[in-house]
Amino acid sequence: MTAPVSSADHGPQAVFLFDLIQDINVLRPIIRILAAETNLDLLFLVSDKLGRRDRTGVWTAEIDELASFVGARIKQFEDPLTAHLSTQGRLGLLFSASETDLVAHETNHQVFLAAPNSYVRITIQHGHECVGFRQNREQTIAHGDDIRFAADIVCGWGPVETMEHLCHSERPKYFELGPPMLLDRLLNKPKKARPPAVGLVCENLHSVRMRTTGEFQKTYLDTVQDFATSQAQLGRSIAVRPHPGGQFVVKNNVALPPNVTLANAAMYKTDLKQFAYGISAPSSVVIDLVVAGIPTAVWTDPDGIIDTSGYAGLTQVSTVEDWARFADEAVANPAHILARQAEFLSAHTLDISPEQVRDRLLQLVDGAISGITGRACGRRPARVLLVANGVVPTLHISFLKPLSGLVKAGQLETRIITEADVRALQGQSESEHDTPIADAIAGFSPDLAVFCRYSGSGAEEMVAHLRGANAPIVFHIDDDLLNVPADIGPKHVEHNRVERTSTIRYLLGHADLVYCSTPALKERFQAQGFNERLSVGEIYSSGEIVFPAEDRPVETIGFMGNDKAPELSELVPAIADILDRNPSLRFELFGSMTMPDDLLRFGERVRALPKVSDYDDFVRQFRQLRWDIGLAPLRGTPFNIVKADTKWVDYTSIGTAVIASRATVYDHCCAGGCGILVDGTDEWISSIQSLIDDTERRFALVSAAQAKLASTYTLDRLTNQVLEKFDEAAALAKAAVPVSCR
């Protein structure tokens, strides 16, 4: 066996896995861009299974042509070991367009699992409705909704909140790339315009959705043939495009009427503008048709069983009569059809420019390559294990958000273990010798672990395993969870269970570093006897200016919060007085609080928005509110006095002026004209009214607050702070290990 090539002798490479026919269509534009915009060495790893799937040899020829065009090397592989040997001794990026833990994607999944740590593994979403990303009902019935990836980075077409079936544990890996097919616009030469001649019908008959909830293959095929016959009577022709992978019409030798031609070229070599319209069963080819700007209709079965919700808003057809009407309208009056399609693309964030997709791709590649070339050959990105009761706001604010840039750049891997995960793992143990929790952690092999506000079971076992693996441990805490008062509501009973407080005490005493949210909280724990390894940062949360300050009339005041019923109750007299004085003013609540009975007399002028559990949805909905004045009351209880100033950050980010309780955490952030501090009903009333009467003062207050937000509460600053805490924990962990054990 020849010695592996040293990565010191060769630069980084981009390796592309080809196993399914669809991989070619998805990866080709990415390859073309990287060939044009980077100096990466390109390698195509082609599975022997692809050759067997490609009966005609068309797609093998496409790979050969592409490799010749971009100067890539091609290697065949039979199994993950063969693929591993082709990458051994090098570093770079490993791309796949069909990588999940499903059997259909097993080849590329196994290659990813076997890949050297010197590669950043990148999975690309391969369709509008795609397993593991955003599934239709039939995909979920067939494959479930717990799809996992071996990738380090998972690239999708749209914002992560639209990826309804992306598991929470996979979400930290997510990178919003956009549809790769848009890149073809930058690569293909414009074709001469010509009048569209025929309509295009696309078949996707091998799809799971055509077989899972009913046998729709015959129904669709009969409709195609009847439609072709009806068009022949009018002297018209149509083209039928088989799915590039399924090729149902071709493989089954389906007899088609004489006025039907096959359009079987690769999509990237097909000028869709030559067609007067397109009709397809639900499939990602619908997006190709819509993006190309031709009138498009989606077929649904007559009984409406097949899930077409992913294409809601587009024209739908079912019967032959529907098809014929659509074809006539698409030719005679396409404007309103195209308008609906533009709205569809906008609603699904698919109307981005190809330049934006290219820039995102190059940003991803630049970040991933800089992460691996900046350290010794073979080093993988650092891995951080996040243990939390759930994917709670604290986890998002303190770690997922500040670390997201490093994760997207391939410089860091994170994995979340929730309390529910721990309970499930404990349930798998059949004897005292089983260690499913430790095994799960060992499978990730973290370089550092963060227990974020964790109070569930299994902490001692997890800490013991992490200690044995020399992984530093951070306990992050943002409330005095040893003394949760009854006035927060029913949840205080659960918080005060002895099992939970015991976990908190254990982690306070055994973590290498206790990372407190505020100086006051650090002092609280010191007063309770936890004097060692306590640390605190300068800021708790970061913010960005979403809506700059505006000098505008005050129309709405709002109060956001959970577990703040006592504060709301004390505010009611002030709010009622202000609403009486200002008949056009509105008051809104956002969170778990209900509108007090004493304010219901104001009718539609008061509104309580329901609590939103998903953090991303919460942020999105909150930003849409754009309150003019935001209220931040906080009773001066021992529990409240150690809280952070998150509400000021959130209010300020959307251009909302802050009025907050005096002698609390808000004293610091509101200083310098960045908010108004009050105490008592009269001061609440006078302060709110002063901003209503003097819009210039409100504008100046928000402007000053946003200047402080932009200089002090930045994401970069919080990211650096988190990394400093990780380094601090690592140093403390190293110092605690006896010299003989190092």
Side-chain angles (χ1 to χ4, degrees), residues 441-691:
I441 296 174
F444 180 57
S445 187
D447 299 297
L448 179 140
V450 176
F451 288 81
C452 179
R453 199 185 157 92
Y454 187 69
S455 61
S457 60
E460 293 189 28
E461 182 180 350
M462 287 186 277
V463 167
H465 175 80
L466 292 163
R467 285 269 186 269
N470 295 319
I473 299 166
V474 176
F475 180 37
H476 178 258
I477 187 164
D478 63 348
D479 273 320
D480 183 1
L481 295 177
L482 293 178
N483 297 281
V484 179
D487 61 13
I488 73 160
K491 288 194 298 185
H492 93 282
V493 175
E494 181 66 19
H495 279 298
N496 286 305
R497 283 177 48 207
V498 66
E499 297 90 345
R500 294 199 177 278
T501 56
S502 295
T503 295
I504 298 296
R505 291 183 182 278
Y506 178 81
L507 291 172
L508 284 169
H510 290 81
D512 295 303
L513 182 76
V514 177
Y515 175 19
C516 302
S517 57
T518 65
L521 185 60
K522 177 184 175 182
E523 294 170 4
R524 174 69 53 79
F525 288 130
Q526 286 176 327
Q528 295 178 23
F530 300 98
N531 296 313
E532 298 180 1
R533 304 177 306 281
L534 296 177
S535 184
V536 66
E538 294 186 6
I539 60 174
Y540 169 68
S541 62
S542 65
E544 57 278 342
I545 299 174
V546 180
F547 298 111
E550 290 183 31
D551 186 356
R552 63 182 188 240
V554 173
E555 297 178 350
T556 307
I557 59 175
F559 179 17
M560 171 188 68
N562 297 314
D563 307 326
K564 289 289 179 287
E567 282 84 355
L568 177 59
S569 177
E570 293 175 2
L571 264 185
V572 166
I575 295 170
D577 186 281
I578 286 293
L579 291 174
D580 282 328
R581 295 185 187 202
N582 303 272
S584 63
L585 191 67
R586 293 175 50 82
F587 173 67
E588 293 182 344
L589 287 174
F590 186 36
S592 60
M593 300 171 291
T594 57
M595 187 63 65
D597 292 342
D598 290 347
L599 296 179
L600 295 179
R601 65 184 175 90
F602 293 100
E604 293 183 354
R605 292 174 59 201
V606 296
R607 180 172 67 144
L609 293 94
K611 179 180 178 180
V612 178
S613 298
D614 181 86
Y615 181 75
D616 293 329
D617 287 344
F618 164 80
V619 171
R620 185 174 62 255
Q621 292 189 36
F622 174 71
R623 287 177 173 178
Q624 293 172 352
L625 297 177
R626 299 197 65 183
W627 293 333
D628 301 299
I629 299 172
L631 310 181
L634 195 63
R635 301 173 73 205
T637 64
F639 185 74
N640 286 341
I641 212 68
V642 301
K643 284 186 169 292
D645 54 6
T646 315
K647 194 177 275 84
W648 179 90
V649 173
D650 292 338
Y651 285 165
T652 300
S653 71
I654 62 169
T656 299
V658 179
I659 303 177
S661 296
R662 185 182 292 112
T664 66
V665 68
Y666 298 116
D667 288 8
H668 178 72
C669 56
C670 288
C674 297
I676 299 177
L677 297 170
V678 298
D679 184 16
T681 300
D682 291 343
E683 289 190 13
W684 279 106
I685 294 172
S686 62
S687 295
I688 296 172
Q689 191 63 50
S690 71
L691 296 186

Side-chain angles (χ1 to χ4, degrees), residues 121-139:
R121 303 160 296 179
I122 302 172
T123 292
I124 308 293
Q125 179 179 345
H126 59 256
H128 177 56
E129 292 173 305
C130 186
V131 289
F133 290 87
R134 185 178 187 273
Q135 301 173 187
N136 56 60
R137 182 176 63 246
E138 288 79 16
Q139 287 172 322

Side-chain angles (χ1 to χ4, degrees), residues 2-15 39-45 71-75 83-94 114-121 368-369 372-373 375-381:
T2 58
V5 180
S6 170
S7 61
D9 300 326
H10 295 271
Q13 64 177 350
V15 181
N39 293 319
L40 290 170
D41 183 18
L42 304 180
L43 171 63
F44 296 174
L45 290 182
R73 294 173 293 120
I74 299 178
K75 289 189 177 182
H84 175 82
L85 293 175
S86 298
T87 58
Q88 196 173 21
R90 297 291 299 273
L91 55 80
L93 312 176
L94 187 57
N117 287 334
S118 53
Y119 283 81
V120 176
R121 303 160 296 179
I369 291 296
I372 54 178
T373 58
R375 50 175 71 97
C377 176
R379 285 286 303 275
R380 58 168 171 75

Side-chain angles (χ1 to χ4, degrees), residues 421-439 461:
D421 295 330
V422 171
R423 288 198 298 266
L425 290 167
Q426 289 173 328
Q428 296 173 13
S429 179
E430 296 181 358
S431 72
E432 61 181 2
H433 303 293
D434 288 344
T435 57
I437 296 176
D439 292 344
E461 182 180 350

